[in-house]
Amino acid sequence: MLGEANFSDHGANRLGASALMQGLADGYFIIPFTISDYLAGVKLGTCPSLASSEFTAVEADVRARIRRLLEARGKRNVSEFHRKLGRILWDRCGMARNRSGLEAALKELPGLRQQFWEDVNVLGGSDNLNQSLERAGRVADFLELGELMCRDALAREESCGCPFPRGVSGGRRVPAERRAVRPRGVLGVSRETARRRSGISNP
């Protein structure tokens, strides 16, 4: 979001490919300067003690998660699960998606997540820098995030990723089962709604 908020290279339509490039390219350079500048002017409040119940609970949870990853000792490496997750999301929850694809993804992801925790093999230990363990933790988060993305996309019925009204492609009405399910636009307002409010007609 910081990369995209920097300035608009892609016009008012917020086209997906350009917005993604801004998020990746601009964000890479902007975020370190933006965050550090913000933190430099913020006065920190009272921090909880390391002996507080909140800290000890989080620490125990993190240690248990790390121990579970290292003790799985399965037969599949982290990259294999990462690629499998990426393929599911690419095929089922990409720029263009439909209800049947999202429902299929939601059937696959819980099983993949269970396989990950039971059969992942993370090399090394937890007493030093371990990039394999770090990646495993990230992929574990991605597995939950991927399912959340699919559930969110499934709950959004209104299309805002195309200048044509929902269910219409090139002037032809598309059957319901083939209609793309797209996330809403900025602040939850669809592109069609924004056009109506601004008086702009579809090209």
Side-chain angles (χ1 to χ4, degrees), residues 8-200:
S8 180
D9 287 334
H10 48 75
N13 288 336
R14 300 181 73 251
L15 298 178
S18 298
L20 177 61
M21 182 54 66
Q22 272 195 280
L24 295 175
D26 285 5
Y28 180 82
F29 296 101
I30 293 167
I31 289 175
F33 294 98
T34 306
I35 297 297
S36 59
D37 182 68
Y38 170 77
L39 293 177
V42 173
K43 293 183 179 180
L44 297 179
T46 303
C47 297
S49 167
L50 297 183
S52 65
S53 58
E54 294 85 357
F55 182 88
T56 54
V58 171
E59 182 183 24
D61 182 66
V62 171
R63 290 186 182 278
R65 178 185 173 93
I66 291 174
R67 185 168 56 252
R68 184 180 178 189
L69 286 169
L70 292 173
E71 292 178 353
R73 298 300 179 189
K75 298 179 180 179
R76 301 163 68 182
N77 60 42
V78 177
S79 297
E80 183 176 343
F81 289 101
H82 198 180
R83 285 193 297 268
K84 178 64 175 177
L85 172 64
R87 175 52 60 185
I88 293 174
L89 295 180
W90 181 272
D91 291 341
R92 310 292 193 186
C93 191
M95 290 291 292
R97 56 221 185 203
N98 54 45
R99 177 169 296 277
S100 61
L102 291 168
E103 290 175 345
L106 288 173
K107 291 180 180 179
E108 293 181 76
L109 290 174
L112 181 64
R113 187 170 63 249
Q114 181 177 353
Q115 293 173 29
F116 172 83
W117 285 105
E118 293 177 353
D119 200 28
V120 70
N121 185 14
V122 181
L123 303 177
S126 60
D127 54 349
N128 51 26
L129 178 63
N130 186 342
Q131 292 184 320
S132 179
L133 176 60
E134 178 184 354
R135 186 175 187 185
R138 291 181 182 275
V139 172
D141 290 338
F142 292 161
L143 286 164
E144 295 185 11
L145 177 61
E147 184 173 347
L148 178 62
M149 289 169 58
C150 291
R151 292 188 181 281
D152 181 70
L154 194 60
R156 296 174 183 266
E157 294 288 349
E158 190 174 10
S159 171
C160 65
C162 176
F164 298 109
R166 183 174 58 139
V168 177
S169 175
R172 296 176 300 173
R173 184 157 298 279
V174 178
E177 64 272 14
R178 292 178 53 202
R179 294 178 186 174
V181 181
R182 301 271 190 167
R184 294 178 182 269
V186 179
L187 300 179
V189 178
S190 73
R191 185 171 299 170
E192 289 86 347
T193 300
R195 282 200 178 97
R196 288 196 301 269
R197 292 179 180 176
S198 62
I200 300 174

